[in-house]
Amino acid sequence: MTIQTESGESIFVTTGDPRQVGNGNPGGLIGFSIHDGTVGPPVIGGVPGFEYCSGNSSTSTSQLPTTSTSEGCGTITYPETGVVASIDNLQGGVTCEVALGIAERYLNDTSLSHAGNTWSAEFDGWLCSVLTATASELEGHSLECADRSRGISFQAVP
């Protein structure tokens, strides 16, 4: 289903009733932003740019992780919680140095515009987002960033 959101047009697929998305009972949900006719990377558990203001708080708002146990190629600290997460699952040849730099900018650069319940931000060809609490538990990571044009991506693991 295609919808208009706070940050523009998005499309989503759900295992639940599409009319319930945004009302706290979305079922399994994968969303994609659409910019200039190009579909962006998937957002598991949410729709990019959609402000979830009602329903079950565990799936309706973006929540930064509250625990951390992993170590990977380097760590980031979520500014809202102080929780440390490990940069991991590098794909397409992205280096640890680049991944750490992109994650730090996404989390700490106040000039970036963040949107939606996944706090998504697009900059320098990258699209980064924080997973909702439920999606983070299911997927095993809390942050994902991808540059689709270059086929590179990484995740942060709490």
Side-chain angles (χ1 to χ4, degrees), residues 85-118:
S86 179
I87 298 295
D88 205 350
N89 197 17
L90 281 65
Q91 301 289 319
V94 65
T95 66
C96 285
E97 180 181 44
V98 167
L100 285 165
I102 294 298
E104 286 292 334
R105 180 167 179 209
Y106 166 72
L107 292 171
N108 299 304
D109 185 342
T110 58
S111 71
L112 292 180
S113 176
H114 293 84
N117 72 315
T118 61

Side-chain angles (χ1 to χ4, degrees), residues 44-45 58 63-67 78 130-143 156-158:
I44 308 300
S58 69
Q63 297 182 12
L64 296 177
T66 57
T67 61
Y78 289 93
V130 175
L131 276 62
T132 62
T134 300
S136 181
E137 285 180 33
L138 292 172
E139 298 297 319
H141 62 276
S142 56
L143 166 85
V157 179

Side-chain angles (χ1 to χ4, degrees), residues 6 10 13 20 24 33 60 68 74 86 89-90 93 101 103 106 109 113 121 128 139-140 144 155-156:
E6 294 288 323
S10 291
V13 178
Q20 293 298 311
S33 61
S60 64
S68 176
S86 179
N89 197 17
L90 281 65
Y106 166 72
D109 185 342
S113 176
C128 295
E139 298 297 319
E144 52 193 15
Q155 300 169 339

Side-chain angles (χ1 to χ4, degrees), residues 22-86:
N23 294 321
N25 189 18
L29 182 64
I30 300 174
F32 304 85
S33 61
I34 301 173
H35 297 286
D36 299 324
T38 301
V39 176
V43 174
I44 308 300
V47 178
F50 194 86
E51 295 293 338
Y52 293 87
C53 297
S54 64
N56 181 333
S57 64
S58 69
T59 59
S60 64
T61 58
S62 178
Q63 297 182 12
L64 296 177
T66 57
T67 61
S68 176
T69 58
S70 298
E71 267 189 56
C73 89
T75 60
I76 56 169
T77 302
Y78 289 93
E80 301 234 344
T81 62
V83 170
V84 176
S86 179

